[in-house]
Amino acid sequence: MAKLVFIRHGQSEWNLKNLFTGWVDVNLSEQGVEEAKAAGRKLKEAGIEFDQAYTSVLTRAIKTLHFALEESGQLWVPETKTWRLNERHYGALQGKNKADAAAKYGDEQVHIWRRSYDVLPPLLDANDEGSALKDRRYADLDPRTVPAGENLKVTLERVIPFWQDEIAPKLREGKNVIIAAHGNSLRALTKYIENISDEDIMNVEMATGQPVVYDLDENLNIVNKEKL
């Protein structure tokens, strides 16, 4: 039986400022660092040992993984970084204050952009200074693959191929896997492995820095789930 652990990154500097972040690369706040370290201590107390780690290419998730592994005495564990585990791209909302956006567009519209399964946010122009097309970490991607904005449906569509090709085979081999990523990329994975409906996934929250542990059989059926 394999263990799969999800950790949403600790509070980021932009979480603290109430800004839409998405693919913008921001650091952890002091609180976020402590949340990540606390997650690692919980993993150590639970005696969970890992064979493989995965994270996104964004600093807040990478550092969360490293702090958690270090605190659990497992910083040496092999890790893979991939853009497919990035947070959902919030389009033209990125960098905007959430309260200001609500004042401009209305609470209901902003709630729909944030929480609907298949409604896209306003898209970011490819020529915008903040476009991921200008970021070197995505230079090897087909430009048509780089999003200008995503909803949870699109996020799931880019996450699942990586799950099927890279993560699931490790779990089927009985390897223990840790994934430190983002609220929406982890919600997408949660939806997939728990077979949650489009409507119900909107009510699923991923707490920052709290490990979620799955015990999976050889067919990747969930035998047990707990939050540490």
Side-chain angles (χ1 to χ4, degrees):
M1 189 173 298
K3 285 191 181 293
L4 170 65
V5 174
F6 290 163
I7 303 179
R8 181 186 177 188
H9 66 78
Q11 183 191 68
S12 74
E13 292 174 344
W14 277 21
N15 291 148
L16 185 60
K17 294 179 180 178
N18 200 34
L19 304 179
F20 285 101
T21 311
W23 280 34
V24 180
D25 194 28
V26 300
N27 213 333
L28 294 173
S29 66
E30 290 184 11
Q31 177 179 319
V33 170
E34 291 308 311
E35 288 174 341
K37 290 181 177 180
R41 291 192 290 271
K42 290 177 181 178
L43 293 171
K44 185 175 182 177
E45 290 168 5
I48 301 175
E49 297 181 339
F50 298 105
D51 302 293
Q52 179 68 45
Y54 296 97
T55 188
S56 72
V57 296
L58 298 171
T59 298
R60 58 196 188 273
I62 297 169
K63 285 191 172 182
T64 294
L65 175 64
H66 291 175
F67 283 127
L69 288 177
E70 184 173 20
E71 288 291 320
S72 65
Q74 303 181 77
L75 193 54
W76 58 272
V77 169
E79 69 178 75
T80 299
K81 302 181 185 74
T82 174
W83 68 276
R84 289 188 178 274
L85 290 174
N86 277 13
E87 175 61 292
R88 68 171 277 201
H89 193 299
Y90 275 102
L93 295 176
Q94 293 187 163
K96 303 290 192 300
N97 183 280
K98 294 174 184 177
D100 291 346
K104 180 177 181 179
Y105 300 107
D107 289 334
E108 183 177 353
Q109 181 61 66
V110 171
H111 180 75
I112 290 171
W113 283 332
R114 293 185 65 188
R115 284 303 183 184
S116 69
Y117 179 63
D118 56 5
V119 177
L120 288 169
L123 301 183
L124 188 67
D125 191 281
N127 295 317
D128 190 280
E129 185 178 318
S131 172
L133 290 168
K134 303 179 186 300
D135 192 321
R136 189 165 67 90
R137 79 195 77 192
Y138 309 113
D140 292 336
L141 297 182
D142 184 329
R144 293 171 296 182
T145 303
V146 178
E150 296 176 308
N151 49 42
L152 187 60
K153 179 176 184 291
V154 175
T155 304
L156 185 145
E157 289 168 353
R158 66 157 157 89
V159 167
I160 296 312
F162 187 78
W163 166 268
Q164 294 173 333
D165 295 342
E166 299 289 339
I167 303 173
K170 288 283 193 303
L171 293 166
R172 290 194 180 97
E173 292 171 6
K175 305 292 187 184
N176 289 348
V177 169
I178 181 172
I179 303 175
H182 307 264
N184 283 293
S185 52
L186 292 177
R187 285 170 70 228
L189 284 172
T190 300
K191 182 184 192 309
Y192 183 76
I193 67 175
E194 296 190 25
N195 195 28
I196 299 172
S197 71
D198 296 354
E199 294 76 23
D200 290 343
I201 192 60
M202 295 298 97
N203 299 317
V204 173
E205 296 288 346
M206 306 296 297
T208 56
Q210 181 178 50
V212 178
V213 183
Y214 294 93
D215 290 317
L216 305 174
D217 67 18
E218 62 273 13
N219 296 314
L220 304 190
N221 297 310
I222 299 171
V223 177
N224 186 53
K225 174 186 177 182
E226 66 175 324
K227 296 180 181 180
L228 298 184

